[in-house]
Amino acid sequence: MPATATRMTGAQALVASLAAEGVEVIFGLPGVHAMSIYDALYEHSQIRYIGVRHEQAAAYMADGYARSTGRVGVCLTTTGPGAANTMSAMGEAYSSSSPVLEICTQIRSSLLEKGKGVLHETRDQLGMFRTVTGWNKRVESAEDIPSTVRQAMTKMRNSRPRPVQIEIPVDVLTVGADVEIAQSRKNQKPTADETKVKEAVAALASSRTPVIWAGGGVVTADASDELLELAELIQAPVLTTFKGKGVIPGDHPLSLGNWASAGEGRDLLQGLLDGSDLLLAAGTRFSGQSTGEWSLRFPQRLFHIDIDPEEIGKNYPVSLAIVGDAGQVLQELLARLKESSVGEKTSRIDEVAVLRDTVREIVMATQGARLQVLDTLRSTLPRDAVAVCDMTMVAYVASRHFRVYQPRTFLYPGGFGSLGFAFPAALGAKVAWPEREVVAICGDGGFIMGCQELATAVQHGINLPVLVFNDAGYSVLRMTQDVQFSGRRIGVDLHTPNFVKLAGAFGAGGVRITRLEDLGPALKKALTADQPTIIEVSGSLMESLSG
Ligand SMILES: Cc1ncc(C[n+]2csc(CCOP(=O)(O)OP(=O)(O)O)c2C)c(N)n1
């Protein structure tokens, strides 16, 4: 037995390892194979446990916790159906590069892969998770638990974060072993090639009209200060993706916002790009959603910084590839640019202002009702409030036109596009930030997918407003049927409950809004309420605003 080893069960080793990595909260739902983990958690007051009503919500909560903090979000599920219930949420975390760790249990090692017929047996649980994780592993002995947890954390912290899954057979959890708990280590991210950094510095210094494109990788690297300083130094307007929203405050004169994918003002944006001699992109994959399916044209000189070499050159040819952590590379660029002389730049602040105003006018004319609602939210919420959006009509407009002032304050499942994300993810964010305002923005369809978590919110005192835009249907799909299928509606109109009564049944607050002027006061009240509150926004209100 090594000098520092301690006798404990596998379950105790797991909980001690998570605690050693600084895990403060676990979202989960128990099952027979996981009971030893629960017993180990019982002893561990350092880790808060939030019990959910559906495992999918546990993974979304871990995701909301992770996206709003940058820390690893942890969920705990039992073997088979419990684990399988998290697949959409893990797919969402994968698509959005969110560091979610799922711990699952497994049936007894001696029964694995035999198909003998035991409770919760799954044909290939590891294989199932392989499609939605960056890395996953089954632990085969209690002694290996600490190093596996360490390895999972290192994967998520030192490279592009992707969800990971660890599964532990029930016998490995219950056996006693001499275990050494691995201590958390400092992150070590890859450092960029110096010659390439120097090349970028020289080009940025001499470029007259540079533009910056910032994605979620800048948020992950906690590099918004560096990005802003660089933008100001080289006077570059900054476009973001929806994951990059907030890396530059939305009201900064150099902020172009995030609407590159949209029809509105596309010609103006293309004009700005055509008039630019260099695009510096950081922490982005130039996804179809953010580039209008790659229809945007970029300047010939396209410099791309990304920690994941596979993303560079995949969607656009680049003239300079810098593989590295966006934070470290931006710091290097800044330090070197400050030492050298930065050449004259053409000020584009007026151009940015005209673009922003014109786009707003277009959106007000076409999406006025939604923009007015979002304006009300923005003026009611403090700058550091976290807005968590679902796949709903208002959120589509929000993802492009809701002003965001700080990174990690706008969460949106735009990549995988998981309906039902917002409410549980907002609960996870609120658990992480109890002193900050957090609000969920859902449609009736998306909210109903996870409305059972009102019980979780009430039980654990996770008090936040949940806006539910009730248009009694999947309106985005209803619109498609009306426009593309001659109004042959099927499967898109929904019976919806009385949301105020539904909230009441769970012990939450509820209010129905039929006038825009009542929304701000209702939201203010809900933000300070000592219970979660559903604010149902009636379909008739949205219709009346649309004129
Ligand atoms: C898990 C999942 N199932 C189905 C879909 C397809 N989908 C996308 S939007 C949508 C309708 C959403 O309805 P609602 O939340 O009421 O918002 P609305 O469109 O009415 O604004 C559906 C079913 C999806 N994105 N994710």
Side-chain angles (χ1 to χ4, degrees):
M1 166 164 154
T4 47
T6 313
R7 190 87 190 153
M8 60 179 90
T9 64
Q12 288 168 331
L14 172 69
V15 173
S17 300
L18 292 171
E21 292 291 344
V23 172
E24 289 169 348
V25 58
I26 293 178
F27 305 93
L29 199 151
V32 67
H33 295 126
M35 296 325 289
S36 57
I37 304 179
Y38 280 79
D39 194 56
L41 276 172
Y42 185 84
E43 287 171 3
H44 232 283
S45 55
Q46 188 189 330
I47 299 181
R48 184 177 177 198
Y49 175 76
I50 308 274
V52 300
R53 303 302 186 271
H54 188 297
E55 289 87 350
Q56 183 177 81
Y60 281 142
M61 286 185 203
D63 191 354
Y65 176 96
R67 289 190 206 199
S68 65
T69 59
R71 301 200 293 268
V72 171
V74 181
C75 63
L76 170 62
T77 61
T78 197
T79 327
N85 266 348
T86 65
M87 290 299 282
S88 301
M90 291 298 274
E92 175 55 47
Y94 183 85
S95 179
S96 293
S97 302
S98 182
V100 172
L101 166 62
E102 178 161 350
I103 310 277
C104 309
T105 53
Q106 245 306 3
I107 58 171
R108 259 203 332 273
S109 309
S110 58
L111 293 169
L112 274 166
E113 284 148 27
K114 296 212 163 80
K116 286 168 76 84
V118 289
L119 181 73
H120 297 338
E121 185 176 56
T122 314
R123 193 157 77 87
D124 183 6
Q125 187 170 282
L126 266 187
M128 177 172 84
F129 276 99
R130 211 162 285 134
T131 61
V132 290
T133 53
W135 180 84
N136 67 336
K137 188 179 170 185
R138 180 183 302 148
V139 183
E140 288 178 4
S141 74
E143 288 84 352
D144 285 345
I145 289 175
S147 61
T148 307
V149 170
R150 181 87 277 283
Q151 210 178 347
M153 293 293 185
T154 306
K155 295 257 176 217
M156 285 182 285
R157 290 174 180 154
N158 286 358
S159 51
R160 179 184 187 171
R162 287 247 136 115
V164 307
Q165 178 241 1
I166 296 174
E167 67 179 40
I168 315 176
V170 62
D171 50 301
V172 175
L173 286 167
T174 46
V175 71
D178 298 322
V179 181
E180 199 167 2
I181 302 302
Q183 285 310 307
S184 183
R185 272 184 237 130
K186 209 174 157 328
N187 300 352
Q188 276 187 328
K189 296 190 174 177
T191 43
D193 180 334
E194 201 185 327
T195 19
K196 295 200 170 178
V197 172
K198 281 186 183 159
E199 195 184 325
V201 167
L204 287 169
S206 63
S207 152
R208 289 191 73 97
T209 49
V211 186
I212 294 176
W213 177 285
V218 179
V219 176
T220 302
D222 286 326
S224 41
D225 289 349
E226 289 83 354
L227 185 105
L228 183 57
E229 205 181 334
L230 178 68
E232 286 174 345
L233 186 66
I234 60 172
Q235 281 300 295
V238 179
L239 259 168
T240 72
T241 63
F242 60 79
K243 278 210 67 206
K245 263 170 110 75
V247 294
I248 177 169
D251 53 356
H252 189 283
L254 285 170
S255 167
L256 272 168
N258 158 49
W259 44 279
S261 59
E264 53 251 12
R266 257 300 281 274
D267 296 349
L268 289 170
L269 175 61
Q270 190 59 67
L272 179 129
L273 290 169
D274 290 345
S276 305
D277 59 10
L278 191 159
L279 181 91
L280 177 70
T284 180
R285 59 179 164 153
F286 293 121
S287 71
Q289 284 106 314
S290 60
T291 57
E293 301 256 320
W294 311 286
S295 60
L296 270 188
R297 290 186 310 276
F298 289 145
Q300 261 202 337
R301 279 195 300 174
L302 169 53
F303 294 0
H304 192 170
I305 305 164
D306 206 282
I307 199 162
D308 183 350
E310 285 188 18
E311 291 300 351
I312 301 185
K314 187 197 267 180
N315 287 326
Y316 279 93
V318 301
S319 40
L320 183 69
I322 306 181
V323 176
D325 171 66
Q328 285 178 359
V329 177
L330 290 171
Q331 264 173 25
E332 279 272 308
L333 291 177
L334 254 181
R336 287 175 187 268
L337 271 167
K338 283 191 202 157
E339 280 166 16
S340 63
S341 65
V342 175
E344 205 180 313
K345 307 292 173 203
T346 308
S347 171
R348 307 187 86 188
I349 284 184
D350 292 345
E351 207 181 334
V352 172
V354 170
L355 245 73
R356 283 204 323 216
D357 291 349
T358 313
V359 169
R360 190 174 157 86
E361 274 168 31
I362 299 170
V363 180
M364 194 49 98
T366 52
Q367 306 266 4
R370 294 177 188 122
L371 202 55
Q372 285 179 66
V373 164
L374 291 171
D375 284 351
T376 305
L377 292 189
R378 188 63 282 178
S379 60
T380 311
L381 293 169
R383 285 175 81 92
D384 68 349
V386 182
V388 188
C389 286
D390 217 76
M391 296 302 286
T392 183
M393 301 294 280
V394 176
Y396 305 144
V397 181
S399 72
R400 299 200 290 265
H401 305 294
F402 186 70
R403 271 204 179 160
V404 176
Y405 302 114
Q406 295 180 17
R408 303 194 186 284
T409 60
F410 185 82
L411 317 185
Y412 177 61
F416 204 45
S418 314
L419 190 64
F421 164 87
F423 176 42
L427 292 176
K430 185 69 182 174
V431 167
W433 298 106
E435 304 306 328
R436 259 160 81 174
E437 316 296 13
V438 177
V439 58
I441 301 169
C442 314
D444 51 286
F447 175 68
I448 291 267
M449 276 194 168
C451 64
Q452 75 284 345
E453 300 309 326
L454 276 171
T456 307
V458 170
Q459 183 170 348
H460 292 277
I462 313 170
N463 302 328
L464 47 67
V466 185
L467 288 162
V468 179
F469 289 85
N470 182 7
D471 49 23
Y474 299 133
S475 65
V476 64
L477 305 173
R478 191 157 56 195
M479 252 172 44
T480 310
Q481 289 184 347
D482 287 351
V483 175
Q484 291 177 24
F485 297 90
S486 325
R488 288 154 62 91
R489 290 186 183 179
I490 176 166
V492 294
D493 293 320
L494 300 177
H495 165 77
T496 49
N498 178 325
F499 284 102
V500 175
K501 283 192 177 163
L502 178 82
F506 279 102
V511 58
R512 187 162 195 265
I513 301 293
T514 53
R515 300 183 321 163
L516 183 62
E517 57 267 37
D518 295 335
L519 180 58
L523 182 58
K524 269 198 186 126
K525 194 170 165 211
L527 287 169
T528 51
D530 56 5
Q531 61 183 2
T533 310
I534 295 186
I535 302 175
E536 177 191 351
V537 181
S538 73
S540 59
L541 165 60
M542 299 309 282
E543 274 166 28
S544 70
L545 291 175
S546 304

